[in-house]
Amino acid sequence: MEETYCTETIILNRTDFREYDSRTTVYSEDRGKLDLVARGVKKIKSKLAAHLEPFNLAEIMVVAGKQFDYIGAASSKNCFPNIKGDLAKLAAAGKAVNFFNKLVKAEEADKEIFFLLKDFLEILDSQELKVNGDLWASFFIFKILAQSGYRPELYNCVICNNKITPEKNLFSLSQGGLIGKECSSKRGSDVLAISDDGIKLLRAVAANDLKMLKNLKVSAKLEMEEKNIINYFCQYHI
Ligand SMILES: [Zn+2]
């Protein structure tokens, strides 16, 4: 007997499959990441196609099959038109969702991860966001890494465990956290300099909901530093 269920999902990726079908990767609220086949979406008259655009929030019905699970029906609840109409926002969404898709493993349901992705897209789509889209993507990536078991140590030195004090600290990619100046001679080659403001901002991103971070005032210099650290940190883990 075929099993069917409905779940709210965010469309992560869609690739061509067979003549008229596509493989659609989604992150679902109830069952985590799913790889599904959508039949006939490349036909001009397809009713499914518009609902299954990448980044859409959609309610879908899944039909379990022998070889593949299929999308039986789909209804988009938010197509995020402001993201799709703005190249900078679209690039930020693409970067964040691609990273998410690489990092998150299939079929491990985690509602917190689902709502983190949903908040990220909803706020990026809104007029309320005051930080640049690219930095917003970095905040999201940092929070997803933390949620997936890569939360960096931001309060004590990863070598000697002493409390971090101001000035001349380093961020270690391999050890996943800060190295105080007293241990800088013991550092590996995979470290980045980090300013006191850079540490404060990483702590704020780690500790707060995305909703609390959307209005942060970040200087251009600090934005560069923060994006650089988060980019290297995420490259190190995928
Ligand atoms: Zn130390």
Side-chain angles (χ1 to χ4, degrees), residues 77-93:
K77 297 174 107 182
N78 194 341
C79 299
F80 302 114
N82 297 321
I83 295 176
K84 288 170 187 170
D86 178 324
L87 281 181
K89 287 188 178 204
L90 196 59

Side-chain angles (χ1 to χ4, degrees), residues 1-220:
M1 212 177 77
E2 283 187 329
E3 187 208 3
T4 66
Y5 60 89
C6 290
T7 182
E8 194 164 294
T9 61
I10 290 163
I11 314 297
L12 302 179
N13 190 27
R14 200 168 84 179
T15 54
D16 290 349
F17 180 62
R18 301 189 295 220
E19 193 177 358
Y20 295 114
D21 302 343
S22 80
R23 294 289 282 271
T24 303
T25 310
V26 305
Y27 196 83
S28 67
E29 183 180 351
D30 304 314
R31 306 201 183 200
K33 183 171 157 180
L34 304 169
D35 189 21
L36 304 166
V37 171
R39 284 177 175 138
V41 285
K42 284 192 280 172
K43 291 180 181 167
I44 291 166
K45 287 181 181 169
S46 168
K47 290 192 180 101
L48 274 181
H51 297 286
L52 300 176
E53 289 289 326
F55 317 140
N56 280 8
L57 176 69
E59 177 86 19
I60 64 169
M61 186 180 82
V62 178
V63 182
K66 277 206 182 89
Q67 201 179 354
F68 304 106
D69 289 350
Y70 293 88
I71 298 176
S75 170
S76 48
K77 297 174 107 182
N78 194 341
C79 299
F80 302 114
N82 297 321
I83 295 176
K84 288 170 187 170
D86 178 324
L87 281 181
K89 287 188 178 204
L90 196 59
K95 181 181 169 184
V97 170
N98 283 338
F99 173 77
F100 180 93
N101 196 12
K102 280 186 193 154
L103 182 76
V104 173
K105 301 282 175 284
E107 298 187 16
E108 287 173 19
D110 185 333
K111 278 188 197 278
E112 269 188 60
I113 282 188
F114 176 81
F115 286 108
L116 194 55
L117 180 59
K118 192 174 167 211
D119 283 350
F120 165 76
L121 290 168
E122 282 175 353
I123 297 168
L124 183 63
D125 190 63
S126 76
Q127 305 301 323
E128 299 160 30
L129 182 66
K130 297 292 179 271
V131 304
N132 286 333
D134 203 29
L135 182 63
W136 188 242
S138 292
F139 285 177
F140 169 76
I141 287 168
F142 189 73
K143 293 192 79 65
I144 282 291
L145 279 166
Q147 184 70 23
S148 305
Y150 303 107
R151 182 181 291 277
E153 173 53 55
L154 300 173
Y155 292 89
N156 295 299
C157 171
V158 291
I159 295 177
C160 72
N161 205 33
N162 282 351
K163 197 165 177 287
I164 291 293
T165 55
E167 293 186 5
K168 295 186 181 162
N169 295 295
L170 299 164
F171 186 91
S172 165
L173 300 173
S174 60
Q175 290 176 280
L178 299 176
I179 295 177
K181 50 188 146 313
E182 75 286 351
C183 291
S184 65
S185 63
K186 296 177 200 154
R187 71 178 195 259
S189 54
D190 60 326
V191 293
L192 300 163
I194 185 165
S195 68
D196 294 344
D197 284 344
I199 293 173
K200 272 187 211 155
L201 183 52
L202 280 187
R203 285 174 180 169
V205 175
N208 289 290
D209 271 5
L210 278 176
K211 289 186 180 90
M212 306 294 289
L213 302 169
K214 64 188 178 191
N215 295 325
L216 281 186
K217 286 204 171 65
V218 181
S219 71

